[in-house]
Structures are given as C-alpha cells and as structure tokens.
C-alpha cells in the first residue's frame, strides 16, 4: 500500500509539472522543494522504464509516451479532487436561495406542503418559486431546479424521478349521461375533449397503451387551454372529457364529481414527476437536500393515488 501511495504521489507531481511547465512552479504549488519534485519525476520514469519528459537547461517538453501517460494522470487527479469536493459538499449545510419552477396546479396542491416541511427542516434556506405552466428555461432564467411532468426529460439536463404519475380519462356524470360513455379510445374522436396545452406531448394527441399496443389520437373539442385549473373547472361543469393526472383528479374521482372511463386503456403510460437540474460537476447542497426531501415526501407510491 505504501508503494502504491508513493507512486500515486509521483503521478500527481508529474501532472502538475506538465500543467505548470516548471519544476519550480510545481514545487511552489505543492509546497515542497524543486529537488524533491525532480527526484519524484526521476523515480517515476525509473519505475516505468521510460522517459516522460525531455529536459534541457532552457526548456522542457513531453515525450510521446509522456503525453499519453499525462492524460491518465490528469484524469486521476481530477477524480481525486472531485471525490474530496463531493465529501465537502455533502458535509456542507444547505443554505442560500433555492430558485425553482413548477406547474401551477402541482405547486398549489402538493409542492406547497413539501416546501413548508423543507423550510422547517433547513432554516438557512430560502425558496423562490415560479409556478408556471409554460416550460421555463432554467438556464436563461437562472433557476436551480425545475419540476417537470413528462415522458421525455431534456437530454441536456439531469432528471431524477420523484414519483410515478398516473393519468385518468374522465368526465362529469352529467356529460356522460348526455353524450354516452366511450368504450374505446377511438370513441373519443366522437366526443368533446378538453385539451390541455400545458404539456407539449399532449398537443399532438392523447396517448394510450392497450395491452402491448400503443394508440395516439388527435382528439377534437371546442376548447384548448394552457391552464390546468381552468380546464378542470370546465370538466367539473360537464363541458367535456378530460385526461389529467391523478394528483389533480384524485379528490374529484373519490367524491364522484368526475367518473373515470376507459379502464382497460393506460393513458400516458410513461409519464413521471421529475426534478431536473443542470449537469454541474458538483450539486449544491440546497438542491440535493430539496430533491431528497421531495423523494421522501412523494415517492415511491404517491399519496394522491389513495382514492
């Protein structure tokens, strides 16, 4: 083990020499002597049986083998730094302003209680919430975190699944008494469907899985809305058929104000609730703590499905 640690130290010294292009600068950066730096490089070359550096009185350059070896040494040095920084970050107390964005109705019904318990738990954190049904660009607008309900999180972001999101197609009993109950997804084409435009995936149609078969329908209706609360009230008033997640519909399905239809068809089968954030090298403690808190609060079996 001692020999391994000695070799690792020599590799780190070699990487620093390449980066500073100077034995003297390396010694200063590492808090050691120039002679020890030279000794470590010579020892490394002897152990490997190759020359890593071409050295003259005026200049120093990498050999071909030295250049290839440096790439590995530099990568190891970065991993060591990352490991140390990770420990520091994990030990750090979450603090500062956490800026996040969420769909309006989810924020109102479910995120607010989770935020309250989080703030009681972490007194050095403040939260700024933008409840908005549009897709907020968290890079351009400076947000730490975005709550998304989607089946395809952006590949440029890190996406953590917080909880599954189950969708139900339903309508008020008065509507179904007047227009009849659809028996298959295709029957929806003959009905008034209330289309939610807040999620891009739904603008192209409603999606179902029946057994192993996928069905997408360009449903029609006389109302398209980008606000989920408005659309919910219209469905409750018997204006048409709606397809929404159970985190919105649960209480209304339980009370009977809305009636579920198409029990054999799974709507939007791959949708989930995600916490998405930038793929920074080190996650800030406030972001990590909030995501962990959401997972404790909602997942893996969300309470809104208890109806």
């Amino acid at each position: 083990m001692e020999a391994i640690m000695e070799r690792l130290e020599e590799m780190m010294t070699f990487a620093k020499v390449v980066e500073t292009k100077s034995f003297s600068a390396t010694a200063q950066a590492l808090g050691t002597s120039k002679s020890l730096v030279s000794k470590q490089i010579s020892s490394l070359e002897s152990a490997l049986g190759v020359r890593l550096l071409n050295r003259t009185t005026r200049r120093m350059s990498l050999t071909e083998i030295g250049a290839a070896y440096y790439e590995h040494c530099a990568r190891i040095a970065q991993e060591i730094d990352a490991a140390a920084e990770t420990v520091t970050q994990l030990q750090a107390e979450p603090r500062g302003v956490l800026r996040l964005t969420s769909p309006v109705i989810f924020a109102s019904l479910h995120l607010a209680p989770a935020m309250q318990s989080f703030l009681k738990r972490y007194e050095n954190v403040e939260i700024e919430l933008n409840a908005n049904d549009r897709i907020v660009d968290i890079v351009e607008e400076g947000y730490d975190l975005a709550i998304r309900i989607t089946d395809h999180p952006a590949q440029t972001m890190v996406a953590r699944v917080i909880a599954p999101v189950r969708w139900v197609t339903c309508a008020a009993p008065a509507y179904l008494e007047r227009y009849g109950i659809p028996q298959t997804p295709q029957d929806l084409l003959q009905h008034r469907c209330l289309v939610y435009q807040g999620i891009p995936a739904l603008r192209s149609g409603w999606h179902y899985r029946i057994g192993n078969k996928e069905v997408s329908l360009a449903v029609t209706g006389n109302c398209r809305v980008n606000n989920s609360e408005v659309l919910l009230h219209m469905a409750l008033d018997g204006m048409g058929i709606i397809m929404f997640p159970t985190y919105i519909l649960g209480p209304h399905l339980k009370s009977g104000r809305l009636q579920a239809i198409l029990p054999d068809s799974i709507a939007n089968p791959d949708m989930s609730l995600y916490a998405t954030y930038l793929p920074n090298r080190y996650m800030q403690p406030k972001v990590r703590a909030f995501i962990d808190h959401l997972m404790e609060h909602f997942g893996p079996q969300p309470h809104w499905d208890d109806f």
Side-chain angles (χ1 to χ4, degrees):
M1 178 62 71
E2 183 176 346
I4 293 174
M5 295 304 296
E6 181 179 354
R7 187 71 61 238
L8 183 61
E9 184 177 357
E10 291 172 351
M11 293 168 68
M12 299 303 96
T13 299
F14 169 67
K16 183 62 70 175
V17 167
V18 174
E19 292 165 6
T20 63
K21 299 181 175 62
S22 167
F23 280 26
S24 298
T26 297
Q28 185 176 1
L30 298 179
T32 186
S33 65
K34 180 180 177 182
S35 61
L36 180 57
V37 170
S38 179
K39 182 180 178 181
Q40 287 179 319
I41 298 301
S42 296
S43 174
L44 183 60
E45 289 179 327
S46 177
L48 295 173
V50 297
R51 180 174 291 278
L52 299 172
L53 296 168
N54 292 316
R55 300 187 286 275
T56 68
T57 55
R58 293 187 175 182
R59 64 188 301 271
M60 178 180 61
S61 62
L62 282 168
T63 65
E64 183 178 357
I65 293 177
Y69 192 67
Y70 166 71
E71 292 183 7
H72 294 281
C73 293
R75 189 155 50 244
I76 292 170
Q78 290 174 356
E79 289 299 324
I80 291 173
D81 289 341
E85 184 66 23
T86 296
V87 171
T88 301
Q89 292 285 340
L90 286 173
Q91 290 178 331
E93 176 70 18
R95 63 179 62 251
V97 178
L98 177 66
R99 302 190 71 234
L100 68 145
T101 180
S102 166
V104 174
I105 201 165
F106 183 81
S108 175
L109 295 177
H110 303 289
L111 192 57
M115 287 168 52
Q116 291 173 22
S117 56
F118 177 80
L119 291 172
K120 290 179 181 178
R121 186 174 180 179
Y122 298 102
E123 296 182 351
N124 292 323
V125 178
E126 300 175 17
I127 292 179
E128 289 184 7
L129 170 65
N130 175 6
N132 202 313
D133 282 342
R134 70 179 176 86
I135 302 298
V136 173
D137 188 325
I138 69 173
V139 178
E140 291 293 328
E141 300 183 44
Y143 287 93
D144 298 304
L145 190 69
I147 305 301
R148 300 272 196 255
I149 292 96
T150 181
D151 56 349
H152 287 96
Q155 294 183 350
T156 56
M157 307 294 290
V158 180
R160 291 273 302 277
V161 176
I162 301 301
V165 174
R166 187 161 66 91
W167 291 68
V168 172
T169 310
C170 61
Y175 175 89
L176 297 175
E177 289 175 9
R178 181 176 181 182
Y179 296 101
I181 301 176
Q183 300 301 310
T184 68
Q186 287 79 3
D187 291 344
L188 293 173
L189 298 176
Q190 309 303 319
H191 281 263
R192 297 180 179 181
C193 295
L194 302 172
V195 181
Y196 177 51
Q197 293 191 309
I199 296 179
L202 300 184
R203 295 173 191 165
S204 60
W206 288 4
H207 311 287
Y208 294 91
R209 181 178 294 155
I210 308 171
N212 295 323
K213 184 179 178 182
E214 302 283 342
V215 177
S216 294
L217 300 168
V219 296
T220 58
N222 57 1
C223 192
R224 292 172 292 278
V225 183
N226 69 348
N227 182 282
S228 51
E229 291 181 285
V230 172
L231 214 60
L232 174 62
H233 286 302
M234 296 184 72
L236 291 169
D237 289 339
M239 297 295 293
I241 296 174
I242 195 173
M243 182 174 70
F244 259 7
T246 53
Y247 70 75
I248 297 175
L249 298 176
H252 307 292
L253 292 169
K254 188 174 183 178
S255 69
R257 294 188 66 191
L258 291 174
Q259 180 179 330
I261 61 174
L262 305 177
D264 298 326
S265 303
I266 302 174
N268 291 330
D270 299 318
M271 289 264 187
S272 293
L273 176 71
Y274 290 90
T276 64
Y277 55 94
L278 292 173
N280 295 329
R281 187 174 176 184
Y282 308 116
M283 187 190 298
Q284 296 181 70
K286 61 185 178 182
V287 176
R288 184 190 303 275
F290 191 71
I291 292 175
D292 290 345
H293 185 77
L294 292 182
M295 295 184 75
E296 292 174 11
H297 194 87
F298 296 125
Q301 297 298 324
H303 59 80
W304 53 70
D305 278 341
D306 296 335
F307 62 86

